[in-house]
Amino acid sequence: MSPSAGVTRNTLRQQIADALRDEVLAGRLPPGREFTVKQIAEQYGVSATPVREALFDLSAQGLLASDQHRGFQVREFTVADYRAMAEARALVVEGLFRNPAERVAVRPEGLASIRRRAAEAVRAAKGGDLDVLIGYDLRFWRELGQFVLNPYIADFLTRLRVQAWVFAVHRLRRDGMDENVLWFGHEELVEAIARGDREQVHAEMCSYYAHALVWADRLEAREAAGNGERNGEGNAGGPAGPGSAVPPQSPQSPESPGHCA
């Protein structure tokens, strides 16, 4: 294989992986959706090799499950999975704060771009534009992650955030959302970082992860109630479960969950 052929295939592999990841994050490839290498290759009009490599890349990132007989499937994350993601991220970030001078290097020249990402993420969150929010939120955290001196930690946190959005996207589309159900403290966090206010940065991060865990608790209660109804244990006036035809609770309600991916 010539060098140019290798570059072309690797580029195509990345393009296919990025396109499929975007489809999953947008909810157009829902959890549990099955497909084969052949189907994806035909869809994009390419050979099977870069498609197979792209699908294995996404499997390694935890977004797909693979089976040698059935092909690939969009991974279904449970509330317990989501809670574990939030707790894992919180533990890692807490570790960074033990000695931030050795683990984090804030570059002032990078803050202007991060501020723009933060402002766009907040605007999308308040406007309920989920597709725009996911894109800017992931860029925001990815650029903040460049301040972390250990690239393996930064990569780990990025992967967990992508997985968290995969968990969240179809639930948010199902239940509705507005500023009462989305975390949008991006700008406060950036300004605390710019001031070098370590205590406030820590407080914002703790609030961020607590927000996620509150949402997980409420989702778990709601989905348990829905399962009870389907098993004949609930009543007609109980909370709607996943996939229920009962209209979801209004996001304006005081009972609405907080959320951050």
Side-chain angles (χ1 to χ4, degrees):
M1 177 185 294
S2 67
S4 60
V7 170
T8 300
R9 195 182 82 185
N10 285 336
T11 301
L12 187 56
R13 166 186 184 170
Q14 188 61 53
Q15 289 175 341
I16 294 169
D18 289 345
L20 289 173
R21 185 186 302 108
D22 289 346
E23 291 292 295
V24 172
L25 284 170
R28 290 187 288 271
L29 283 177
R33 172 72 176 273
E34 295 180 353
F35 47 82
T36 64
V37 170
K38 181 181 179 182
Q39 289 171 333
I40 299 301
E42 290 176 349
Q43 177 180 335
Y44 288 103
V46 298
S47 66
T49 299
V51 169
R52 184 178 296 105
E53 292 169 342
L55 294 176
F56 278 121
D57 287 345
L58 294 178
S59 296
Q61 294 169 29
L63 302 186
L64 302 179
S66 61
D67 183 283
Q68 67 180 78
H69 300 296
R70 301 176 64 181
F72 293 82
Q73 183 182 65
V74 179
R75 186 170 172 184
E76 297 188 68
F77 292 105
T78 65
V79 175
D81 290 329
Y82 178 73
R83 182 181 288 109
M85 293 173 203
E87 290 174 346
R89 291 183 334 213
L91 286 171
V92 171
V93 171
E94 191 70 29
L96 293 174
F97 274 92
R98 289 176 191 158
N99 196 343
E102 295 181 3
R103 296 183 171 94
V104 179
V106 176
R107 295 185 297 279
E109 67 274 12
L111 288 173
S113 175
I114 295 173
R115 280 191 175 100
R116 289 195 295 272
R117 308 296 189 203
E120 292 296 340
V122 171
R123 188 175 298 113
K126 291 184 175 181
D129 193 333
L130 188 56
D131 291 332
V132 173
L133 171 60
I134 291 173
Y136 277 109
D137 181 79
L138 288 174
R139 292 188 193 111
F140 170 82
W141 290 107
R142 185 163 53 245
E143 290 187 23
L144 272 186
Q146 293 175 5
F147 295 162
V148 177
L149 296 177
N150 187 323
Y152 293 96
I153 291 177
D155 182 63
F156 173 74
L157 291 173
T158 295
R159 290 188 180 209
L160 283 182
R161 286 192 180 94
V162 172
Q163 291 176 8
W165 273 119
V166 172
F167 165 85
V169 63
H170 71 283
R171 288 174 168 85
L172 292 173
R173 291 196 192 284
R174 176 195 70 193
D175 298 343
M177 59 180 184
D178 66 5
E179 60 187 77
N180 293 311
V181 298
L182 293 168
W183 184 85
F184 53 99
H186 304 72
E187 291 174 306
E188 289 82 356
L189 177 58
V190 175
E191 295 313 313
I193 292 171
R195 294 193 305 270
D197 188 340
R198 178 184 170 187
E199 290 187 3
Q200 188 59 37
V201 171
H202 189 241
E204 294 292 343
M205 292 303 300
C206 287
S207 172
Y208 173 68
Y209 292 119
H211 211 59
L213 292 174
V214 166
W215 192 56
D217 289 343
R218 292 182 182 271
L219 275 177
E220 189 169 60
R222 171 184 174 141
E223 294 182 5
N227 288 336
E229 286 183 9
R230 285 191 292 274
N231 291 329
E233 298 169 2
N235 58 58
S244 171
V246 179
Q249 176 178 289
S250 168
Q252 299 285 353
S253 165
E255 294 294 323
S256 296
H259 166 67
C260 65

